[in-house]
Amino acid sequence: MSSGARERDKVFVEHCKGANGLDKVVLREVRGSSAEVYLYGGQVTSWKNEYGEELLFVSSKATFKSPKAIRGGIPICFPQFGSLGSLEQHGFARNRFWSIDHDPPPFPTNSGNKAFIDLILKPSEEDSKIWSHRYEFRLRVTLGPGGDLMLTSRIRNTNTDGKSFTFTFAYHTYLFVTDISEVRVEGLETLDYLDNLKGRERFTEQGDAITFESEVDKIYLSTPTKIAILDHERKRTFVLRKDGLPDAVVWNPWDKKAKAISDFGDDEYKHMLCVEAACVEKPITLKPGEEWRGRQELSAVPSSYCSGQLDPRKVLQGG
């Protein structure tokens, strides 16, 4: 590769040091959008639009230090979501050091994007003691020319003992919002959900858009491939598209829980909302050699206004 080509590629993908000297990768697109990915946790910690506005929430009290997971951005929950199993909360992928994957298998949809990075996680000997399976977890993080952020996970069972394994999964996305009381979520109306605040009892959501006035921790089931999150104050709509991830977790700790979380500011709940593409209700089972793929794409668009009201139907129908 010529030095000119190397310089050009460096514009799109830069390897550098982040908080506490941790390795990170900065992705940039020509129009000015950017994303940051830490090798610790394989975690996206920043996603900015072309105006340099941050679209993801990271707590001001986040600890960028092993063994604690980074509070914010897009933590990856694998091989266990929440406390649904014998492992630590949300599994171990989010507090392991991932590696750059220099030779990923080909992607069927490589659409000429230049700002992307491939990471890989394999089990260490320590991990094998707590979860006795061999796997390869490949993650591609891509920043599209229009500023869209795409995460594609490919998890393969590489056991040599003939054993299948089962896991649950989520992209635990923390979105930055201006004022949680002015946010609504479209696309989950009338769906069944499990309420984590009520022992995972099953309920059916009402017919209206979801708004927030207290703590919420729900797992919506059989959700559409597209969900819209409307930030009324900023006239901005996040569109989350997902594939292979039937569930959607919606979480905000509200004031009491926020005060109890050590790496979370007391008032920060006002400026964040987790909407998580997930596979929780029906765990995934892979036989040796089988691969699962789960993908999410985030975009941020100006909200459409119609007689003073947001018109999310346009967002949900378009594209």
Side-chain angles (χ1 to χ4, degrees), residues 184-198:
R184 48 195 271 192
V185 177
E186 301 274 349
L188 303 176
E189 305 85 343
T190 73
L191 297 182
D192 283 3
Y193 64 87
L194 308 177
D195 194 335
N196 283 323
L197 302 178
K198 296 180 179 170

Side-chain angles (χ1 to χ4, degrees), residues 38 83 91 127 148-149 152 246 271 302 305 312:
Y38 273 75
S83 54
D127 293 341
D148 296 358
L149 181 67
T152 306
H271 306 298
Y305 269 69

Side-chain angles (χ1 to χ4, degrees), residues 169-181:
F169 179 94
Y171 292 115
H172 198 310
T173 305
Y174 287 76
L175 296 171
F176 175 80
V177 297
T178 319
D179 176 357
I180 186 64
S181 64

Side-chain angles (χ1 to χ4, degrees), residues 121-128 131 133-136 158:
L121 180 68
K122 294 181 183 179
S124 66
E125 283 188 27
E126 285 300 303
D127 293 341
S128 302
W131 201 63
H133 298 290
R134 297 176 65 85
Y135 63 87
E136 288 179 352
T158 57

Side-chain angles (χ1 to χ4, degrees), residues 95-140:
N95 56 15
R96 295 295 184 269
F97 286 94
W98 294 53
S99 306
I100 304 278
D101 188 2
H102 294 289
D103 191 24
F107 261 74
T109 53
N110 202 344
S111 56
N113 288 320
K114 295 187 175 71
F116 67 89
I117 190 70
D118 287 293
L119 302 181
I120 187 166
L121 180 68
K122 294 181 183 179
S124 66
E125 283 188 27
E126 285 300 303
D127 293 341
S128 302
K129 291 173 189 166
I130 56 170
W131 201 63
S132 59
H133 298 290
R134 297 176 65 85
Y135 63 87
E136 288 179 352
F137 185 149
R138 287 185 158 86
L139 171 69
R140 174 171 285 195

Side-chain angles (χ1 to χ4, degrees), residues 280-293:
V280 177
E281 189 200 18
K282 297 183 177 117
I284 298 137
T285 298
L286 292 179
K287 298 188 182 105
E290 285 186 334
E291 183 178 85
W292 170 85
R293 180 180 301 222

